[in-house]
Amino acid sequence: MEQVRRGKTFIISGPSGVGKGTVLKELFKTRDMYYSVSATTRAPRDGEVDGVHYHFMDAEEFRTMIAEDALLEHAEYAGNYYGTPKRYVDEAMDSGRDVILEIELQGARQVHAKRPETVRIFIGPPSWEELERRLVSRGTDTPEKIAQRLQRARIELESADEYDYLIINDTVEKAAAELDAILCAEHCRVDDRLDQILGK
């Protein structure tokens, strides 16, 4: 019986408005991957489903997970906790599925510190002007909020050299194809292939 090859974990980061979700949606048309669902202590919004949008839990339960080192990363925003449970990631990897963690810079640093083998991929805009145009064209934020997002984007872009790969999202199809190529390349690493051949 053929041994199931353990999946790999891939971090996807990038500034707000760069199109991370759209690129991943395109990728998932052809790849069966586990998209990691975060845990949070905030209340569910209308239409949100536990285990689909978030794993909803109370603060005491979340703090217990922190104490037991059961999270790959976590942070606190506006009085609520958010984090990535190890359990679901490991279950997916053990079943042979690759895992996508769509997380921001601080979370990516935490995951990499715990699991340095995690592949980090940054998605950037074709230009600063295009990122600003995309944020404005969404029509969902005030000028003040857009300014905050751009300020944050500058910090994130200046830290992109911490990642293993940088994809420029000029078109969704091209960005998704590059992402797919990275996933293929990572599964062709010599150590992985030799272990497969030698049955390790």
Side-chain angles (χ1 to χ4, degrees), residues 49-200:
V49 179
D50 184 44
V52 176
H53 299 95
Y54 284 97
H55 297 290
F56 295 101
M57 59 183 64
D58 61 35
E60 184 179 350
E61 188 179 358
F62 199 101
R63 283 192 286 267
T64 299
M65 291 184 74
I66 295 173
E68 294 177 349
D69 193 30
L71 297 164
L72 285 176
E73 56 84 31
H74 68 276
E76 187 177 354
Y77 296 105
N80 291 305
Y81 288 113
Y82 296 83
T84 302
K86 288 181 180 178
R87 174 187 156 194
Y88 305 108
V89 170
D90 288 339
E91 285 175 355
M93 292 173 67
D94 289 343
S95 72
R97 296 178 79 193
D98 287 335
V99 175
I100 290 284
L101 303 179
E102 187 185 342
I103 53 179
E104 46 73 55
L105 179 63
Q106 297 302 326
R109 286 171 174 164
Q110 290 182 48
V111 174
H112 188 254
K114 291 182 178 181
R115 298 187 176 182
E117 72 279 8
T118 303
V119 181
R120 296 163 296 174
I121 304 166
F122 193 91
I123 299 182
S127 68
W128 185 254
E129 293 74 22
E130 175 60 14
L131 179 62
E132 189 170 7
R133 188 197 68 76
R134 290 179 186 179
L135 284 171
V136 171
S137 67
R138 291 199 304 193
T140 55
D141 293 325
T142 63
E144 293 77 18
K145 188 69 174 177
I146 290 171
Q148 290 174 7
R149 291 191 186 281
L150 288 170
Q151 186 178 17
R152 177 68 190 165
R154 180 75 67 183
I155 295 169
E156 291 170 330
L157 285 163
E158 288 173 353
S159 302
D161 59 355
E162 297 179 22
Y163 287 71
D164 303 300
Y165 299 93
L166 172 59
I167 293 172
I168 294 176
N169 183 18
D170 45 5
T171 72
V172 171
E173 293 76 16
K174 182 171 176 286
E178 288 187 359
L179 181 52
D180 186 68
I182 291 168
L183 303 183
C184 288
E186 286 295 325
H187 278 285
C188 292
R189 288 191 173 275
V190 171
D191 289 349
D192 290 346
R193 285 290 163 92
L194 278 179
D195 287 347
Q196 187 177 347
I197 292 168
L198 299 173
K200 292 184 181 179

